[in-house]
Amino acid sequence: MKELYPFIFRRKSTRKYRGPASEDELREIEDRLEKIEPLLEDFDTEFMLLERDDVRTRMQRPAPHYIAAFSDGYVGKVNVGFMLQQMDLRISGMGLGSCWQGIPKPRGHVKSELDFVILLAFGAAAEPVHREHSEFRRKPLSKITDIEGLDDVLEAVRLAPSAVNNQPWYFTGGNGKIHAYCQVQSPLKRRLVGRWNPIDMGIALAHLRISLEYHGYRSEFRILDGVDELKNYTYTGTFIYGD
């Protein structure tokens, strides 16, 4: 996954498209979909490559193509975020545009035994698909972690996209463990973005895994018992890492 690292610092959500991806590009994306790494093996996920007419876009501008994700439960949604963010970065690396879309839904003829989770729109972009590091608008590291000595690893996590740029994550630990927590939202914010929080956590964890690997660390994700509670946050899981 470390080959995705440079695109963390360049990716940009694309909302305007000039047309579809080429047949070769679609074949590459379809091939990559079959090879994306899960965060946890024990949770079922399904991904489908859809076209514009397969999706009810509602108020959002339509895209030429979509990847629809399906899974069950909170951890299943975390798994979807982790896996589909790999595709977001790969699509960016191909020079195509992409954007997470939480409001559109597949039409009724699109069937899965799992619950629909979210869509990733993509296609040939009608606007720049990359940006400079300085153009990201994100919380400073001090607002998302108290870990010292891993700024080079955690900067990639800081840049992770999230619903309405909510950035609900916080990381503690160090010395071989990075614990991930999700912010407990106010009732109003929970109604607006709460359903996307587990997906956002998966996206951030994808950036963390990629960054750990890029910086030479081996890592394994686990959900541990007995991890310290953090006020106003809920524990999601832990990366155990080492040289």
Side-chain angles (χ1 to χ4, degrees):
M1 290 172 62
K2 65 182 179 182
E3 72 274 9
L4 300 175
Y5 182 80
F7 300 105
I8 289 174
F9 298 85
R10 300 182 64 196
R11 71 158 296 282
K12 180 182 178 183
S13 295
T14 298
R15 294 174 175 84
K16 295 180 181 178
Y17 300 91
R18 58 178 173 80
S22 70
E23 290 299 320
D24 286 345
E25 289 168 334
L26 287 173
R27 278 193 292 270
E28 180 176 347
I29 288 169
E30 196 166 20
D31 180 64
R32 292 291 188 178
L33 266 177
E34 296 177 358
K35 299 175 181 177
I36 48 179
E37 296 182 24
L39 182 64
L40 293 165
E41 297 280 358
D42 296 335
F43 291 85
D44 290 336
T45 54
E46 184 177 4
F47 299 98
M48 296 183 191
L49 200 56
L50 305 181
E51 302 302 317
R52 174 175 174 170
D53 291 342
D54 296 321
V55 173
R56 297 196 311 271
T57 58
R58 299 183 178 182
M59 66 188 72
Q60 291 191 288
R61 189 190 301 264
H65 314 284
Y66 298 86
I67 300 171
F70 303 84
S71 191
D72 290 324
Y74 180 92
V75 180
K77 292 178 181 178
V78 175
N79 217 24
V80 161
F82 181 86
M83 297 174 77
L84 204 49
Q85 182 58 13
Q86 296 170 52
M87 291 305 304
D88 185 29
L89 294 171
R90 288 196 184 281
I91 290 169
S92 177
M94 294 169 65
L96 297 170
S98 60
C99 183
W100 289 86
Q101 292 194 357
I103 294 175
K105 295 183 181 297
R107 293 189 181 275
H109 65 271
V110 178
K111 303 291 186 181
S112 173
E113 294 183 359
L114 304 172
D115 291 339
F116 168 68
V117 177
I118 199 164
L119 293 164
L120 182 71
F122 72 95
E127 58 187 14
V129 300
H130 295 142
R131 56 182 157 178
E132 298 297 321
H133 188 181
S134 60
E135 296 180 76
F136 284 82
R137 297 292 177 261
R138 298 289 192 269
K139 296 176 183 177
L141 272 177
S142 61
K143 295 293 186 181
I144 69 163
T145 185
D146 61 3
I147 299 172
E148 297 182 357
L150 282 180
D151 286 7
D152 54 345
V153 171
L154 293 168
E155 176 62 13
V157 185
R158 189 181 76 85
L159 301 182
S162 58
V164 298
N165 206 22
N166 185 41
Q167 305 164 68
W169 42 73
Y170 196 82
F171 299 89
T172 67
N175 298 317
K177 291 182 181 178
I178 299 176
H179 305 299
Y181 295 81
C182 183
Q183 187 176 31
V184 176
Q185 310 283 357
S186 68
L188 176 60
K189 203 167 188 179
R190 191 159 55 245
R191 285 197 298 271
L192 292 174
V193 298
R195 64 191 173 107
W196 294 313
N197 282 348
I199 303 166
D200 293 339
M201 292 302 299
I203 293 170
L205 291 169
H207 280 212
L208 180 53
R209 163 67 68 77
I210 292 165
S211 189
L212 284 167
E213 185 176 315
Y214 178 84
H215 287 94
Y217 295 103
R218 294 175 291 102
S219 65
E220 179 184 0
F221 185 79
R222 297 182 189 172
I223 299 174
L224 303 177
D225 295 325
V227 176
D228 290 344
E229 294 184 2
L230 190 63
K231 186 178 180 181
N232 297 324
Y233 288 84
T234 56
Y235 171 68
T236 297
T238 299
F239 268 116
I240 300 171
Y241 67 93
D243 296 333

